[in-house]
Amino acid sequence: MPGMVLFGRRWAIASDDLVFPGLFELFLRVLWWIGIVTLYVRHRGRLDCAGGVLLSSYLIVLIVLLAVIICTVSAIVGVSMRGTICNPGPRKSMSRLLYIRLALFLPEMAWASLGAAWIADSVQCDKIVVNGIIATVVVSWIIIVSTAVTIIIVFDPLGGKMAPHFAAGPSLLDSHESSQFLTGLRTAATSVWETRIKLLCCCVGKDDRTRVAFSSTAELLSTCFSDTDLVPSDIAAGLSLLHQQQDSIRNNQEPKEVISHSPGSSQEADLYAELEHCRHYMQFAAAAYGWPLYVYRNPFTGLCRIGGDCCRSRTTEYDVVGGDQLHCHFGSILHTTGLQYRDFIHISFHDQVYELPFIVALDHRKESVVVAVRGTMSLQDILTDLSAESETLDLECDVQDRLAHKGISQAARYVYRRLVSDGILSQAFSVAPEYRLVVVGHSLGAGAAALLAFMLRSSYPHVRCYAFSPPHGLLSKSLHEYSKDFTVSLVLGKDVIPRLSVTNLEDLKRRILRVIAHCNKPKYKILLHGCWYELFGGSPDSLPTELDGGDRADLTQPLLGEQSLLTHGSPLPSPTKYPPLYPPGRIIHLEEEGTSRRFSCYTSQYTARWAHESEFSKILIGPKMLTDHMPDILMRALDSVVSDSSVCDSCPAPGGFNADDRLPPL
């Protein structure tokens, strides 16, 4: 950081990103050079054949050319190791070295072409020499093609617009022209992102809703990234530093005061009851994913168990369910929920932008009609997730501020129309009029289920919602408070989704900028230490992350917008369009006891407690921030908290957590 400026444009690579690629190329080039020198020295006597003079000249020139390239790459690696992420001053010579290195590709390509032509002429020389020449030609073209692919990857479509701003210097950052530049840059970035999304989702469709989703997603991505000069490796280094910083702060904190409750306290009893409900209804949320999740959870036996349902012809019973394109889904749903086919009122796997699959079933054990909405499983669902603008919900309640996530609210409205207009709920309650209504979902499905509960509340006042790992940016503060009467959310560990919102992403961006600006180590050391720390652990305090006061003045070429970001704070993008949003309902947090073990044969142990939404106002970095969101991991964690395990009763769990302190079995 900042991104390098070459040929009058900015590229998505920094001058300190060339250490590892350079070392890898250096390793290959040195081996290649040694092999060619050995080939020439040992077999030059066999080059007295027809065309041997040409091959001898080819090897000599190639040895000299490789030596020059090795020296150039060594200089690039050495310069790339200098300075820090935010202090590229010691790497000023990098652009000149790269121009030299790129210029050397011209004779290398010419010589590789000549070598290929000579070999094609069927030179009658020693077979070992000819094979060696063929190997050098092949390796040359592999490196050339790899370099071309790398150039395409690091090409920044906005680089031509950003380079003139960098040339003007940081004095422009506080001017009116800088504001105009950032506005124009965001507009151009939106167009670029929209083109990328259309190419990625070319098979999704071209209806009006899809085009709106493309525009919304492009605007969100351009808003998040266009006002910084971060390259991907900067983000990786910043995340690594943040993880170590979080662990260091946690290790230095005093132990939390343990507040014990009497066994009969209403709060504790309520927690136990809700945990039992969560474990039960999580099966329906998982069933909504259909056969992919079932096979993932049962990799050895899943296909055998549902294989018959995949090939079985559609029967009248299946038609009664009202499903479309069930295929293998119905068998997996039966196995996951333990219900019979006659217990299902409707199953839909229709999947479009703003339209989510869902199932409606009769749960006789809990005497409830369960509506389970599926989470993210397709590109259409991702577009729904990323349509993160806010819109006002049309609800019959006294809440003034009724803002919600646009994409998820439209998905919930689609399910609501299907349930009410198609008479699905009426059919369910005609079969079991005394049952209560329960809406569940995981991830995106959890957000849709929470909003669906709002919409159904006027007709079904006793509706309950269980939202598993819901997105953070879902409801306004007023709706969040209102939803506590009928919604319970469950969050596992450091799961990133219940902490993910536009506001929290902006906060994460500021934290990344701050931590890398204060780090006094080069990027390659940060990444090496970060990889070791993520894989094997270690001390989070072993890598200094604060610059001395005098060193701050030596920073050159600051970030685009970095000055205001580090000193005054950066305003949130489009506060009207992206206001702060919150997760739904009361929140149960399942926390892992002790530290997260990277390699451990122990089964993780969890404790459950009621948590406040403010505890999820920051994105936490860790090795389990993604895996904690997986529904199978969440189901196992729920089982470990709720179930009575005789093994854990007889021995203490790792990390000093006594079995006697666990939640009692329900």
Side-chain angles (χ1 to χ4, degrees):
M1 181 178 67
M4 284 191 297
V5 178
L6 295 172
F7 304 105
R9 66 179 305 115
R10 186 253 194 199
W11 298 78
I13 188 172
S15 56
D16 53 357
D17 284 338
L18 303 175
V19 176
F20 300 118
L23 288 175
F24 181 70
E25 182 182 358
L26 199 59
F27 173 75
L28 293 180
R29 297 279 186 181
V30 170
L31 287 182
W32 186 10
W33 186 82
I34 293 174
I36 294 177
V37 170
T38 303
L39 177 68
Y40 179 76
V41 171
R42 295 187 60 181
H43 300 281
R44 61 182 174 180
R46 303 181 185 181
L47 295 175
D48 54 354
C49 54
V53 176
L54 292 177
L55 294 183
S56 178
S57 302
Y58 175 82
L59 290 177
I60 292 174
V61 173
L62 186 59
I63 289 172
V64 175
L65 182 61
L66 281 177
V68 175
I69 292 175
I70 288 172
C71 293
T72 305
V73 174
S74 299
I76 290 174
V77 172
V79 172
S80 186
M81 289 180 172
R82 299 176 184 173
T84 63
I85 296 178
C86 283
N87 186 18
R91 302 188 296 273
K92 289 180 180 178
S93 59
M94 179 60 74
S95 59
R96 292 191 293 271
L97 289 173
L98 286 177
Y99 286 134
I100 295 173
R101 176 66 189 93
L102 292 173
L104 289 173
F105 273 111
L106 297 178
E108 186 176 12
M109 291 176 62
W111 217 241
S113 300
L114 287 175
W118 289 336
I119 294 298
D121 288 340
S122 301
V123 178
Q124 301 298 321
C125 284
D126 184 80
K127 187 176 182 180
I128 296 178
V129 176
V130 173
N131 290 337
I133 299 296
I134 293 175
T136 60
V137 171
V138 171
V139 172
S140 294
W141 281 110
I142 289 176
I143 292 179
I144 291 170
V145 172
S146 301
T147 303
V149 172
T150 302
I151 291 174
I152 294 173
I153 292 174
V154 301
F155 178 79
D156 185 357
L158 300 175
K161 297 179 179 293
M162 299 175 72
H165 185 77
F166 297 147
S171 60
L172 188 63
L173 290 173
D174 294 327
S175 67
H176 175 67
E177 291 151 349
S178 177
S179 176
Q180 290 181 331
F181 167 77
L182 288 176
T183 302
L185 187 61
R186 282 198 179 119
T187 302
T190 301
S191 177
V192 169
W193 276 108
E194 188 166 355
T195 302
R196 290 171 175 171
I197 294 167
K198 287 179 179 178
L199 290 175
L200 180 64
C201 306
C202 57
C203 299
V204 170
K206 297 182 179 180
D207 54 35
D208 292 338
R209 287 174 304 181
T210 303
R211 285 193 288 269
V212 170
F214 286 162
S215 300
S216 298
T217 303
E219 188 168 356
L220 172 65
L221 295 176
S222 63
T223 299
C224 290
F225 299 110
S226 65
D227 62 341
T228 64
D229 188 20
L230 294 173
V231 298
S233 60
D234 296 330
I235 298 175
L239 292 175
S240 176
L241 290 172
L242 281 179
H243 182 205
Q244 297 171 56
Q245 186 183 73
Q246 288 172 183
D247 288 353
S248 177
I249 293 174
R250 184 190 61 195
N251 293 341
N252 293 330
Q253 283 179 341
E254 296 183 0
K256 294 181 180 179
E257 182 182 359
V258 178
I259 303 175
S260 60
H261 297 278
S262 62
S265 68
S266 59
Q267 185 179 13
E268 190 174 357
D270 183 39
L271 177 62
Y272 298 159
E274 295 295 1
L275 280 171
E276 197 278 331
H277 291 320
C278 285
R279 181 172 68 163
H280 177 77
Y281 288 116
M282 182 60 201
Q283 300 175 65
F284 292 87
Y289 283 98
W291 69 265
L293 179 60
Y294 183 78
V295 173
Y296 175 77
R297 292 178 59 206
N298 304 275
F300 301 109
T301 61
L303 285 176
C304 296
R305 293 179 181 176
I306 66 175
D309 295 284
C310 297
C311 304
R312 188 178 302 160
S313 60
R314 302 281 80 90
T315 63
T316 305
E317 290 84 358
Y318 279 65
D319 294 334
V320 171
V321 172
D324 50 337
Q325 301 178 352
L326 292 181
H327 302 302
C328 304
H329 292 306
F330 196 75
S332 66
I333 292 172
L334 292 176
H335 282 90
T336 302
T337 60
L339 301 181
Q340 303 297 319
Y341 74 86
R342 59 179 175 272
D343 296 326
F344 290 90
I345 305 299
H346 189 86
I347 300 176
S348 172
F349 276 88
H350 171 78
D351 187 14
Q352 291 295 331
V353 178
Y354 305 145
E355 297 178 0
L356 299 179
F358 65 96
I359 63 177
V360 180
L362 299 178
D363 179 16
H364 302 296
R365 178 183 169 187
K366 295 289 186 180
E367 296 187 347
S368 58
V369 174
V370 181
V371 178
V373 187
R374 196 191 73 180
T376 303
M377 276 281 288
S378 65
L379 288 175
Q380 292 93 326
D381 299 335
I382 294 175
L383 290 173
T384 301
D385 285 317
L386 295 179
S387 298
E389 303 100 319
S390 297
E391 69 175 17
T392 302
L393 293 180
D394 184 14
L395 301 174
E396 297 180 8
C397 62
D398 296 332
V399 179
Q400 297 296 324
D401 184 15
R402 301 193 299 272
L403 293 178
H405 185 290
K406 173 186 172 182
I408 300 178
S409 67
Q410 293 197 16
R413 194 173 295 113
Y414 160 78
V415 179
Y416 175 81
R417 288 196 301 267
R418 293 290 307 276
L419 294 175
V420 176
S421 301
D422 294 354
I424 298 174
L425 283 184
S426 299
Q427 180 185 353
F429 283 103
S430 67
V431 177
E434 72 282 4
Y435 282 14
R436 64 174 181 173
L437 179 61
V438 178
V439 187
V440 303
H442 173 266
S443 188
L444 169 62
L451 297 183
L452 181 60
F454 277 101
M455 300 173 185
L456 293 169
R457 190 163 168 78
S458 59
S459 302
Y460 302 92
H462 300 294
V463 63
R464 296 282 295 175
C465 175
Y466 290 94
F468 303 99
S469 306
H472 185 278
L474 184 66
L475 303 169
S476 63
K477 185 67 172 178
S478 301
L479 287 180
H480 162 73
E481 296 294 337
Y482 182 71
S483 65
K484 290 182 178 180
D485 293 338
F486 53 91
T487 301
V488 172
S489 294
L490 186 75
V491 177
L492 175 62
K494 292 183 178 180
D495 185 355
V496 66
I497 300 302
R499 298 174 170 86
L500 192 60
S501 67
V502 176
T503 306
N504 288 358
L505 273 177
E506 189 71 15
D507 172 73
L508 177 65
K509 181 175 69 177
R510 289 198 298 267
R511 289 157 57 201
I512 289 176
L513 291 169
R514 190 176 302 114
V515 74
I516 60 179
H518 290 179
C519 184
N520 62 358
K521 294 293 183 182
K523 188 190 297 182
Y524 78 95
K525 289 187 177 181
I526 297 173
L527 294 175
L528 283 175
H529 185 274
C531 290
W532 181 271
Y533 185 79
E534 296 297 334
L535 292 174
F536 307 107
S539 172
D541 300 320
S542 59
L543 190 70
T545 57
E546 290 296 328
L547 284 172
D548 296 331
D551 294 336
R552 283 293 300 275
D554 296 334
L555 294 180
T556 62
Q557 192 76 33
L559 290 175
L560 182 63
E562 173 70 3
Q563 289 181 345
S564 62
L565 198 62
L566 288 179
T567 57
H568 308 295
S570 175
L572 290 177
S574 304
T576 304
K577 185 173 290 188
Y578 303 110
L581 298 177
Y582 303 87
R586 297 182 297 162
I587 304 173
I588 298 176
H589 191 197
L590 302 184
E591 295 180 296
E592 185 176 358
E593 285 295 321
T595 58
S596 298
R597 290 168 173 78
R598 294 157 178 82
F599 301 103
S600 175
C601 58
Y602 292 103
T603 302
S604 299
Q605 297 294 319
Y606 298 90
T607 55
R609 64 179 181 84
W610 291 110
H612 191 266
E613 57 83 14
S614 61
E615 299 179 38
F616 305 95
S617 59
K618 282 190 176 183
I619 296 175
L620 300 182
I621 311 302
K624 293 187 175 183
M625 61 185 295
L626 297 178
T627 57
D628 279 349
H629 187 67
M630 297 298 293
D632 59 313
I633 304 293
L634 180 57
M635 293 176 77
R636 287 202 294 268
L638 269 171
D639 288 339
S640 71
V641 171
V642 177
S643 298
D644 181 20
S645 174
S646 59
V647 175
C648 291
D649 285 337
S650 59
C651 62
F657 177 58
N658 296 323
D660 293 339
D661 296 331
R662 290 184 295 107
L663 294 174
L666 297 175

